[in-house]
């Protein structure tokens, strides 16, 4: 619909680095709190109905959607925000834990995919996210 209207749109995928290792170390209740903490950090800036949205897709992967921005603009904004975000979550489930974490992310815009739809954007973001993770993570990227 955005493409048909000539509007820009971009999507980013963000993953908590080493999510399975954190789950094995701290347990699922602590991970649930970490997921909420991370989601809320992104929602502070990307929770504007009809133009920006954050949602948890699965496991430790979140999606950020943004209208009127391309992939590069979204990645730059998210990288700037990520630099300022706390990298430690203090959990209150059972014994208090200080869980240190990092995130990896990647963005893509409608202008970068031939098929102007969610599956095409997801596929490109997912490939970029895997590349960021393989290079060590702890950053939000876009096209290299």
């Amino acid at each position: 619909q955005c493409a048909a209207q000539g509007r820009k749109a971009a999507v980013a995928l963000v993953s908590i680095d080493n999510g399975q290792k954190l789950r094995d170390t701290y347990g699922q209740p602590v991970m649930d709190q970490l997921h909420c903490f991370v989601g809320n950090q992104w929602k502070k800036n990307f929770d504007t109905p009809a133009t920006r949205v954050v949602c948890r897709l699965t496991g430790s992967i979140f999606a950020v959607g943004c209208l009127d921005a391309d992939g590069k603009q979204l990645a730059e904004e998210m990288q700037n925000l990520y630099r300022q975000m706390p990298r430690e979550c203090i959990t209150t489930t059972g014994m208090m834990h200080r869980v240190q974490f990092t995130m990896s992310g990647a963005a893509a815009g409608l202008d970068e995919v031939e098929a102007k739809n969610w599956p095409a954007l997801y596929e490109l973001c997912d490939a970029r996210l895997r590349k960021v993770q393989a290079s060590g993570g702890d950053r939000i990227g876009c096209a290299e």
Side-chain angles (χ1 to χ4, degrees):
Q1 188 178 25
C2 293
Q5 296 172 352
R7 293 177 74 182
K8 293 180 191 178
V11 171
L13 295 178
V14 179
S15 178
I16 298 171
D17 293 330
N18 303 306
Q20 187 60 48
K21 183 178 178 184
L22 291 171
R23 184 179 349 277
D24 292 346
T25 301
Y26 297 104
Q28 188 60 48
V30 168
M31 282 304 291
D32 290 342
Q33 284 194 344
L34 180 58
H35 290 141
C36 288
F37 179 79
V38 167
N40 286 334
Q41 291 300 310
W42 289 112
K43 283 183 175 219
K44 287 179 185 178
N45 297 283
F46 291 99
D47 193 23
T48 308
T51 59
R52 295 175 152 209
V53 65
V54 174
C55 64
R56 182 172 164 209
L57 288 182
T58 183
S60 294
I61 298 177
F62 297 81
V64 177
C66 186
L67 293 179
D68 303 320
D70 62 28
K72 184 177 179 186
Q73 291 167 323
L74 179 57
E76 287 174 359
E77 182 179 359
M78 290 180 71
Q79 183 64 40
N80 289 334
L81 293 169
Y82 180 57
R83 283 186 195 108
Q84 300 169 33
M85 282 184 184
R87 302 288 181 13
E88 182 177 75
C89 173
I90 299 173
T91 64
T92 58
T93 300
M95 292 186 65
M96 183 178 72
H97 294 282
R98 291 180 184 272
V99 180
Q100 294 183 352
F101 65 96
T102 60
M103 291 180 269
S104 296
L110 277 178
D111 60 319
E112 299 178 85
V113 293
E114 191 173 328
K116 308 296 184 199
N117 58 35
W118 164 248
L121 275 175
Y122 179 85
E123 185 176 310
L124 181 55
C125 281
D126 185 55
R128 288 177 175 171
L129 174 61
R130 283 185 269 121
K131 187 174 179 181
V132 168
Q133 290 171 321
S135 71
D138 195 17
R139 70 180 181 90
I140 309 297
C142 195
E144 303 288 321

